[in-house]
Each structure stands twice: as C-alpha cells, then as structure tokens.
Amino acid sequence: MKAIKVGLLGLGTVGTGVVRIVEGHQEDLLNQCGSPIEIAKVSVKSLNKQRAVDVDVSKFTEDPWEVVRDAEIDVVIEVMGGVDHTKQYIEEALRSGKHVVTANKDLMALHGPELFEIARQHGCDIYYEASVAGGIPIIRTLLDGFSSDRLTKIMGIVNGTTNYILSKMSQEGASYNDVLEEAQQLGYAEADPTADVEGLDAARKMTILASLGFRSHFSLDNVQVKGISSVSKEDIAYAKKLGYELKLLGIAEREEDLISVSVQPTMVKQTHPIASVNGVFNAVYVYGEAVGETMFYGPGAGELPTATSIVADLVAVVKNIRLGVSGKQANYAYKDIKLKSDDQIVSQYFMLLEVADKAGVLSSISKVFGDYDVSLDAVLQQPNPALPEAEIIIITHDANKAAIDKVLDVFTTMDVVQKVKSVYRVEG
Amino acid sequence: MKAIKVGLLGLGTVGTGVVRIVEGHQEDLLNQCGSPIEIAKVSVKSLNKQRAVDVDVSKFTEDPWEVVRDAEIDVVIEVMGGVDHTKQYIEEALRSGKHVVTANKDLMALHGPELFEIARQHGCDIYYEASVAGGIPIIRTLLDGFSSDRLTKIMGIVNGTTNYILSKMSQEGASYNDVLEEAQQLGYAEADPTADVEGLDAARKMTILASLGFRSHFSLDNVQVKGISSVSKEDIAYAKKLGYELKLLGIAEREEDLISVSVQPTMVKQTHPIASVNGVFNAVYVYGEAVGETMFYGPGAGELPTATSIVADLVAVVKNIRLGVSGKQANYAYKDIKLKSDDQIVSQYFMLLEVADKAGVLSSISKVFGDYDVSLDAVLQQPNPALPEAEIIIITHDANKAAIDKVLDVFTTMDVVQKVKSVYRVEG
C-alpha cells in the first residue's frame, strides 16, 4: 500500500506535536485512513538546532519551497505561521496539486476565500480545524454537525491568554498589569501581548467561526473589536457582586439576514455555561434555531491539543485522497448577508459612572437614557469612600448600540457626570 | 438535478421535526448537498391521525415494508423506535441498497455491528448521530474530531430524565419520589420510568460512545449499571456539603488495552465542568492523551434538536451518494480490548454509614479499610439528632472496586455497622 507523504512547514511546538502523533499512532492512522502516513520532508529555520523529536536529518531543509515543490509530497501541513510568505508557499502547494492542512488563523482570516478558490481549481483540499480553539473540533461541528440548522448566535472564548488574565483577576482580585506580567512569565502571554489583549487574535478567529456558522465570508473589517487592557479590578469586583463574570467574548449573531460580529469584554451572567470557562481553556457556545443551546469546551492551544486537530484533518484529507473525492468540499459560503448597523445591534449594557455627589444627579442621568429610549434594568448609586464623588452603576434593558453611544456622547457634555469609567455589553 | 428521495419510518415528535427541517431548509440543504431532498413516503401507525405538519396524504402508508421496499427511495430515516421489527425493516432497506439514518439507540446498542456489516456488504451508509445526546454532534466528534488521539476517558450525562431529577433534588432539597412525580407530569419522565431511572437507557448510549471512543465493539453485557432510584435527599445534601454534585454518569475508561464501562450515580466535584450540567441537558466529557480535557454540551432530546442531528446525517449521506463514496466508512472497530476485572477498576468512593454511637467504632471501621489496603481521604463522624445512631461519612483515596466490595462485605458482619446507607463513586 502506497504511503501518503507529508511535507511539514515548520517544526516548532505544534510541528513537533504533529510528528509525535503521526509517528506514535501509525497503527491507528493506518486503520483509519487505509494508508500509512510518512513525514517525508520538513522545513525548519535552522538545520542545526536540537530537536525534541527524532526525525531523520536527511528530511530537513531550510527552504520551504523545497517542500511545496517536491513532487513526492501529497499533503503539506503548515505550522510555520506568518502570513505573506506563508501564503505563497500554500498557494504553490495547492497549484502543484498538494492538499493543505494549516493551523494558521491569521492566514485563513485574511485570505481564506482566495485559498479556497485556488484549492477548488486544483482539486485540492484545504483543512484548518486547528486555526480556532486548538483542541476543540469546532470547525467540523459548524460545517457538518449543524449543517441542517440555522444558527443565530456563536459566542466564543477563543483566546486563552485573555481568558487566563480575566480568570485570575476574578479569582484573586488582582490587577490587569500584575496578572499580565505573571502570564508573560508563565509563557501564557507574549512579550508583546497586543494581538491577544487588544482582541485582534480573537477577532481573526471570529471571522472564521462567523463565516462557517452563517455560511458567508466575513473579513476582519466586519468585526468591531475592543480588548481587555482597560479592564480594572473594580470592574470585575462589580461584575461579581452583580452575579456576572467578565469575559472577552467573540459574539457573532444573526437576525434574518442581518449579522453582527464583535469582540469585546462582556459581563456574562454566572449561570450561563460560558461564564465558568476559566484559565487558558476555550469554549464556543452555539445557539441554533432548531438545536437550541450547545457548548463546546476544551484546550485552545498547546503542542498536543493543536496537533490532534491537525492530524485529525490529515486523516480526513487522506480519506478523501483514497476515496477520490479531494477538492469536493461543498462551498459553504453561499449566503448573501448584510452587516447590522449600530442601531440594529441590540443588547444589555453595564455602565460605571463617576458622578458629583449631590441631589438630582440620578434624575438628570436617567433623563438622558429616557431621551434615547433606553430603559434601565438596575441602578445602584453609592458613595465611594475613596473618592469625593459618588459612583452609579447602571444595567440597561436591551438597547441598541447607536442609542448607547448617543447617551455616552451626552454624558461627556454634562458637568455632573465626571467620568464614564466603564461600559460593557451584558450577556444573560 | 435528480432529487434524493427519503422514506420516513415514523411520524411522531422527532419524525415531525425531520419533516419540518427538510421542508423548511430546502435552499440550505440544496446548497450543502447539491441535490434537492424530498420526503417521498412516510409510514405511520394510523392514516387517520391529525398531523402537525403538512405532508401530502398520498405519501402515507401504514405498512413500513412499503417504505423499505419502494425502489424509488434512496435513504430511509428510522424514527419509529422499537428493536425487533425495526431491525427487520432496516435490514431490508440496507439489502435493497438504501442508506439508513436512525435515532434508535436501543437498536444500535444491541445490533450495531450486525447492521454495519450488512451496510458494508451492500455499499450503504448507516448514520446514527441522534441516537446519543440528541442535539450534540458527539458521534462525529468521536469518529472524526478525535481520529488522531487516543482517548482515556469518556464521561457522559446522557439521560435527561435522571439529570433533571438529580438537578431538582439538588436545587430544591426535594425527595426522589416527589421530583419523579413532577417530572412525569411535565413529560420529562415516562409513566414507567424504569429504563431511565435504573440507568438502562444511559447504558445503551454508553456502549455506543465507548465503542466509538475506544474503537472496539462493546455490548450491554460489558456495562456495570446502577440507577438513581435509591438516591436520598440526605445523600445529595451530604454531597453538596462536601463540595460535590450527585450525577448519573456513564463512565468509559481505558488504561492500555483494558477498559471498563459503567453507569452509576457518582459524586462529581463541583469544580469539574460536568458538575454544572443541569436539568434535561446532556454533556459528554472526553479526555484524550493528546487533547486533554474537552466537553460537549447541549440538549439530549426534543423534537428539533434530535431532528437537527438526523438531518445533518442525511446531508452527510446525500453528499456520499453524490460523491460516489457510499458505504466507504472505515470500520472503526479494529481494536482488541479486554474488560477490566473489578480489582482493576480504580476510583475514589464515598460511603455513608450508620454506626453505633460509642467509643472505638471509628477505629474498628478504619481497620477494615486498612486490611484491604484502602486509604482514606476524609472522614466525618457526627451524631444524627434524628437517630440514636451516629453517622460516619468516608471518602476514600483511589481504591479498586474489588477491595471496596470486600470492605462492604465485612461491614455486613460487624455489629457496630448498623447500615451502609450509601456508596458512591467519586470523580474529581
């Protein structure tokens, strides 16, 4: 039986995991694919580095083109990361009839549709389960498991770094900066944490999930993004007091053919299943018209969890090769959708205001909400012993984002509102 | 484009849901399968009953044989339930080249391997996602999502009725009988609840999950089953006090090639993700060597959730037909496994003992544990104001089941142990 030859682009943490699983599970893979699988070529940054896995040195090259142009290679697994160069390698692989498995969320978020089209033209598969929520098979769940349903909401904790930080802040009452520093020491956050803490990583993943869940292509421009760098200890303390956890949620939601996609720190009611997802774990909550509430929970990153998803994709690709159905994935993105405008994006909001501590303040603030048709679910006014000012906490009923923005605009003009300390979306 | 013709066996709640989804989602289904789908024939118990869906009366028959022998039908969806007759219909369908989608856990648990073999011989597919955990796509997750991993543990809350009862008992401090009665009134429990409350329904589902997860065939005889009918208010109160929830868990676990499968009320630490799965919801917790902890949560039953899974299977079957790869599902059950003996099944245990309220009792009880090498994690002795006796609560460290059974045997011979009120497995 002819072995399927795999070329690996990159041999960092995840690449090492892929080699470990492919080498260690030969019998299972053979039983499931019907073909032995051989790692035939590996491109690495430096030939001279010590490796944690035992790969014959003759298989190494420092030139990725050698992998994607090797006529013997059937499937290219891309775990080198990066966008521009990597895209060229993947395009070349597809153009020369190789199937591709990638863990590269940036590439797929930015260039997915283009790559799908090249794959289709050349009768090749491109699989990318590991690009979102590492160990959770959420992509095949959205594509196949819910193929018969119409989803209305996808909410994801899809960035482990920020979930670790917010969980720690909640559990220990610690400050953002202290926990970030600890996360950097533990390797849970990068030296430059911007892409994680400002929500960009989560936004890329949400474009992928929204595209699959709503059967249309979304780009990064379609996502409203806000990160967690301004979340304070105080915000989290108030959230807990009111029965919420603060989470960085990606939220993609649909009403008829109107969609909105956002990433933002969100107050999630403690009884909601996603509120108890802590630490570096990821979870994706999916609501479908027919199925109702579901949630998928697991590790979002890590050598072996991510490699598990990559090798599961490899098994799928090899099965397709053997069955002669490569490149026949149906085009999932067949829907015309429109993005919601701000006055169509509706949810509850939390606000923490610093106000002058005198009579009539609450009434003048309430009037502003009333002027824009925003009704209030809960109001809590209390003196802050540390400040001459008082604090008012407000949770609105469902309101549209445009109205909330207008309310906030008016607040900036009012003497009695000294500061809008925080504004968060609320999910029940 | 030729329509795919579907024959439906049964038009109860779930069958009605299937018709609703197929009729209501024509455009999505066409986009995903590449073929229109038509419900062409439906077998019902009585032609004269009022129907909640609009199906042309000419498609009805009271004779299931007319559906499975109709040469026009491509796919048979079985939602009539039952085992013996239903098996004959499904066999006939497969023998005449029809693909089968079924929600019938009893049939699949009892006769799965036989039906797979008939399907294979006739180049047909048989899909059964809806047979376990209705709306959760757990079967394709175990087959495809984790194809590259080696699982070590599958724990499931796979019976909504018992989870509803235990959740209510926990939340309201109510008794088993009161909650059961309420569940029967709400339609969450059958008039004869035996199959649910004695764990048989869960056991059937666990044979299916264990078979998929451990790539071997398990039968009902392989499952140790204990139901919830003897769970008391007191047990649940003690569980909560100690930081646990009592759940009816199906547990399939593997060490090397040794497996055990059981269904039993289990004390689950409140911090474990499965402990907070309440009401009629289902969840399946999966631990893999590579992926680590994952959990899949959603509705376990209901018209539309179950129908969602059935129609997702239908989409997969139709894609296979169009790609010409029907009946090519790899045989997943290729492993030789052995069942663990009782001295190989290891876990922590909880015991609630009623003992004579006098000096030296604890020491003589502790000695028995020591004699069988069972060490103790926690011991709590307290007088029960309602009784002349005292109560002792014990949580053991990991111990094998054979040793625990021997300890319990000895207790029956001891005067000071007046009653072993409860014994539960403990999961952290």
Side-chain angles (χ1 to χ4, degrees):
Chain A
M1 204 178 320
K2 191 171 159 288
I4 297 290
K5 298 204 172 183
V6 172
L8 195 57
L9 298 179
L11 191 60
T13 317
V14 174
T16 303
V18 169
V19 174
R20 283 218 175 106
I21 292 181
V22 170
E23 302 290 331
H25 293 202
Q26 279 293 337
E27 194 198 328
D28 281 303
L29 295 175
L30 177 58
N31 273 301
Q32 289 182 45
C33 307
S35 292
I37 291 177
E38 182 195 333
I39 306 276
K41 199 158 246 176
V42 183
S43 80
V44 292
K45 275 194 203 140
S46 160
L47 291 178
N48 300 318
K49 205 177 142 190
Q50 278 281 36
R51 302 287 163 188
V53 280
D54 187 28
V55 178
D56 191 302
V57 76
S58 69
K59 296 180 174 177
F60 286 140
T61 169
E62 289 180 358
D63 182 5
W65 293 110
E66 275 195 35
V67 175
V68 298
R69 288 178 177 154
D70 183 333
E72 297 276 291
I73 302 280
D74 303 293
V75 184
V76 169
I77 294 180
E78 184 271 306
V79 285
M80 65 194 293
V83 174
D84 295 339
H85 287 287
T86 311
K87 178 167 174 262
Q88 293 177 27
Y89 303 135
I90 288 187
E91 284 182 7
E92 177 73 12
L94 293 169
R95 290 212 169 89
S96 51
K98 298 176 185 10
H99 312 286
V100 170
V101 175
T102 174
N104 195 322
K105 65 181 174 294
D106 301 343
L107 184 69
M108 296 310 291
L110 293 167
H111 304 294
E114 202 183 328
L115 295 173
F116 296 142
E117 180 54 25
I118 298 172
R120 198 194 55 74
Q121 284 168 6
H122 294 83
C124 292
D125 286 332
I126 177 161
Y127 278 65
Y128 52 103
E129 181 67 79
S131 65
V132 182
I136 309 173
I138 187 64
I139 288 179
R140 59 194 76 217
T141 296
L142 291 174
L143 268 179
D144 300 332
F146 294 136
S147 58
S148 59
D149 203 356
R150 289 202 199 101
L151 306 185
T152 54
K153 196 164 196 170
I154 302 170
M155 295 204 298
I157 293 177
V158 288
N159 179 274
T161 304
T162 48
N163 201 48
Y164 174 84
I165 293 172
L166 293 175
S167 303
K168 273 277 181 180
M169 287 176 74
S170 169
Q171 285 156 6
E172 299 176 1
S175 77
Y176 171 78
N177 285 323
D178 289 350
V179 179
L180 173 60
E181 202 174 299
E182 189 193 323
Q184 285 170 322
Q185 280 160 10
L186 290 168
Y188 292 159
E190 307 277 340
D192 175 1
T194 314
D196 290 320
V197 300
E198 296 308 342
L200 307 175
D201 174 85
R204 288 175 191 142
K205 292 166 178 166
M206 287 309 297
T207 67
I208 297 175
L209 295 182
S211 297
L212 292 163
F214 299 133
R215 316 275 167 190
S216 194
H217 283 305
F218 293 87
S219 72
L220 271 177
D221 302 339
N222 303 143
V223 190
Q224 301 197 4
V225 187
K226 191 182 153 201
I228 66 163
S229 56
S230 62
V231 170
S232 69
K233 269 160 72 160
E234 197 185 10
D235 293 339
I236 290 187
Y238 278 127
K240 286 173 79 110
K241 196 169 160 185
L242 296 163
Y244 295 87
E245 293 290 340
L246 199 64
K247 295 288 179 192
L248 184 68
L249 286 195
I251 304 179
E253 49 191 351
R254 179 183 68 80
E255 273 170 289
E256 303 298 333
D257 59 349
L258 287 175
I259 310 242
S260 67
V261 189
S262 65
V263 170
Q264 59 194 301
T266 304
M267 295 225 179
V268 187
K269 200 150 228 171
Q270 278 159 355
T271 49
H272 192 287
I274 212 165
S276 49
V277 174
N278 288 318
V280 292
F281 276 91
N282 279 198
V284 181
Y285 171 94
V286 177
Y287 197 96
E289 286 178 2
V291 76
E293 283 201 303
T294 61
M295 194 175 86
F296 306 90
Y297 167 92
E303 172 187 328
L304 289 175
T306 308
T308 301
S309 287
I310 290 171
V311 182
D313 277 355
L314 176 62
V315 168
V317 167
V318 175
K319 279 186 186 171
N320 289 348
I321 295 174
R322 289 188 48 88
L323 293 172
V325 295
S326 301
K328 304 277 188 202
Q329 292 158 287
N331 175 23
Y332 68 81
Y334 52 84
K335 290 215 176 183
D336 271 340
I337 51 92
K338 298 176 206 106
L339 284 176
K340 287 186 180 182
S341 54
D342 280 357
D343 59 350
Q344 294 168 318
I345 300 176
V346 171
S347 81
Q348 290 186 271
Y349 285 87
F350 163 100
M351 285 184 199
L352 175 57
L353 310 177
E354 200 174 290
V355 298
D357 197 358
K358 60 183 181 185
V361 171
L362 190 55
S363 128
S364 53
I365 286 172
S366 307
K367 186 176 174 306
V368 181
F369 283 105
D371 289 346
Y372 292 98
D373 266 345
V374 177
S375 64
L376 304 184
D377 181 38
V379 179
L380 179 68
Q381 177 168 11
Q382 57 182 24
N384 184 332
L387 297 171
E389 300 79 17
E391 285 181 346
I392 294 185
I393 291 167
I394 289 158
I395 296 185
T396 72
H397 283 299
D398 269 346
N400 73 65
K401 191 166 182 300
I404 294 290
D405 286 341
K406 281 177 198 153
V407 167
L408 292 169
D409 280 349
V410 175
F411 284 168
T412 61
T413 69
M414 290 169 71
D415 286 344
V416 294
V417 179
Q418 288 161 358
K419 196 173 174 192
V420 177
K421 296 181 83 173
S422 316
V423 182
Y424 295 113
R425 179 172 168 143
V426 174
E427 282 291 325
Chain B
M1 204 179 317
K2 192 171 160 288
I4 296 290
K5 298 203 171 184
V6 172
L8 195 58
L9 299 178
L11 192 61
T13 317
V14 174
T16 303
V18 169
V19 174
R20 283 217 175 105
I21 292 181
V22 170
E23 303 288 333
H25 293 201
Q26 280 292 336
E27 193 199 327
D28 281 302
L29 295 176
L30 176 59
N31 272 301
Q32 291 182 43
C33 305
S35 292
I37 292 177
E38 181 195 334
I39 306 277
K41 198 158 246 177
V42 183
S43 81
V44 293
K45 274 194 202 139
S46 160
L47 291 179
N48 300 318
K49 206 178 142 190
Q50 279 283 34
R51 302 288 163 186
V53 279
D54 188 28
V55 177
D56 191 303
V57 74
S58 70
K59 295 179 174 176
F60 285 142
T61 170
E62 289 181 357
D63 182 6
W65 293 110
E66 275 196 34
V67 175
V68 297
R69 288 178 178 155
D70 183 333
E72 297 275 293
I73 302 278
D74 303 294
V75 184
V76 169
I77 295 180
E78 185 271 306
V79 284
M80 64 194 294
V83 174
D84 295 339
H85 285 288
T86 310
K87 177 166 175 261
Q88 293 177 27
Y89 302 136
I90 288 186
E91 283 183 7
E92 177 72 13
L94 293 169
R95 290 213 168 89
S96 50
K98 296 176 185 15
H99 311 286
V100 170
V101 175
T102 175
N104 195 323
K105 65 181 175 294
D106 301 343
L107 184 69
M108 295 311 289
L110 292 167
H111 303 295
E114 203 182 328
L115 295 173
F116 296 142
E117 179 56 24
I118 298 172
R120 197 193 57 73
Q121 284 168 6
H122 293 83
C124 292
D125 285 333
I126 178 163
Y127 277 66
Y128 52 104
E129 182 66 78
S131 65
V132 182
I136 309 172
I138 186 65
I139 287 179
R140 60 194 75 215
T141 296
L142 291 174
L143 267 179
D144 301 330
F146 293 136
S147 59
S148 59
D149 203 356
R150 291 201 197 102
L151 306 185
T152 53
K153 196 163 195 171
I154 303 170
M155 295 205 298
I157 293 179
V158 288
N159 179 275
T161 304
T162 47
N163 201 49
Y164 174 84
I165 293 173
L166 293 175
S167 302
K168 273 275 182 182
M169 288 176 73
S170 170
Q171 285 155 5
E172 299 176 0
S175 77
Y176 171 78
N177 284 323
D178 289 349
V179 180
L180 174 59
E181 203 174 297
E182 190 193 323
Q184 285 170 322
Q185 279 160 10
L186 291 168
Y188 292 160
E190 307 277 341
D192 175 2
T194 314
D196 290 319
V197 301
E198 296 307 342
L200 307 176
D201 174 84
R204 288 175 191 139
K205 291 165 178 166
M206 288 308 297
T207 66
I208 296 174
L209 295 183
S211 297
L212 291 163
F214 299 134
R215 315 276 168 188
S216 194
H217 283 305
F218 292 87
S219 71
L220 271 176
D221 302 341
N222 303 142
V223 190
Q224 302 198 2
V225 186
K226 190 182 154 200
I228 66 162
S229 56
S230 62
V231 170
S232 70
K233 271 159 72 161
E234 196 184 12
D235 292 339
I236 290 188
Y238 278 126
K240 284 173 80 108
K241 196 169 160 184
L242 296 164
Y244 294 87
E245 293 289 340
L246 200 63
K247 294 287 177 193
L248 184 67
L249 286 195
I251 303 178
E253 49 190 350
R254 180 183 69 79
E255 274 169 289
E256 303 297 336
D257 60 348
L258 288 175
I259 311 244
S260 66
V261 190
S262 65
V263 170
Q264 59 194 303
T266 304
M267 294 223 178
V268 187
K269 202 152 227 170
Q270 278 158 355
T271 48
H272 192 286
I274 212 165
S276 49
V277 175
N278 287 317
V280 293
F281 275 91
N282 279 197
V284 181
Y285 171 95
V286 177
Y287 196 96
E289 286 178 2
V291 76
E293 282 201 306
T294 62
M295 194 174 85
F296 307 90
Y297 167 92
E303 173 187 327
L304 289 175
T306 308
T308 301
S309 288
I310 290 171
V311 182
D313 277 355
L314 176 61
V315 169
V317 167
V318 174
K319 278 186 187 169
N320 289 348
I321 294 174
R322 288 187 50 88
L323 294 172
V325 295
S326 300
K328 305 277 188 203
Q329 293 157 285
N331 175 25
Y332 67 82
Y334 52 82
K335 290 215 175 181
D336 272 339
I337 53 91
K338 299 177 206 107
L339 285 176
K340 286 186 180 181
S341 54
D342 280 358
D343 59 349
Q344 293 167 318
I345 300 175
V346 170
S347 81
Q348 288 187 271
Y349 285 88
F350 163 100
M351 285 185 200
L352 174 58
L353 310 178
E354 199 174 289
V355 298
D357 196 357
K358 61 183 184 187
V361 172
L362 190 55
S363 129
S364 53
I365 287 172
S366 308
K367 184 174 176 305
V368 180
F369 283 105
D371 288 347
Y372 292 99
D373 266 344
V374 177
S375 63
L376 305 184
D377 181 37
V379 179
L380 178 67
Q381 177 168 10
Q382 57 183 26
N384 183 332
L387 296 171
E389 298 81 17
E391 285 182 345
I392 293 184
I393 292 167
I394 288 158
I395 295 185
T396 72
H397 283 299
D398 270 347
N400 74 65
K401 191 167 182 298
I404 294 290
D405 286 341
K406 281 179 199 150
V407 167
L408 292 169
D409 280 349
V410 176
F411 284 168
T412 62
T413 67
M414 290 170 72
D415 286 345
V416 293
V417 179
Q418 285 159 1
K419 199 173 171 189
V420 177
K421 296 181 85 173
S422 315
V423 182
Y424 295 113
R425 179 171 169 145
V426 174
E427 281 290 326

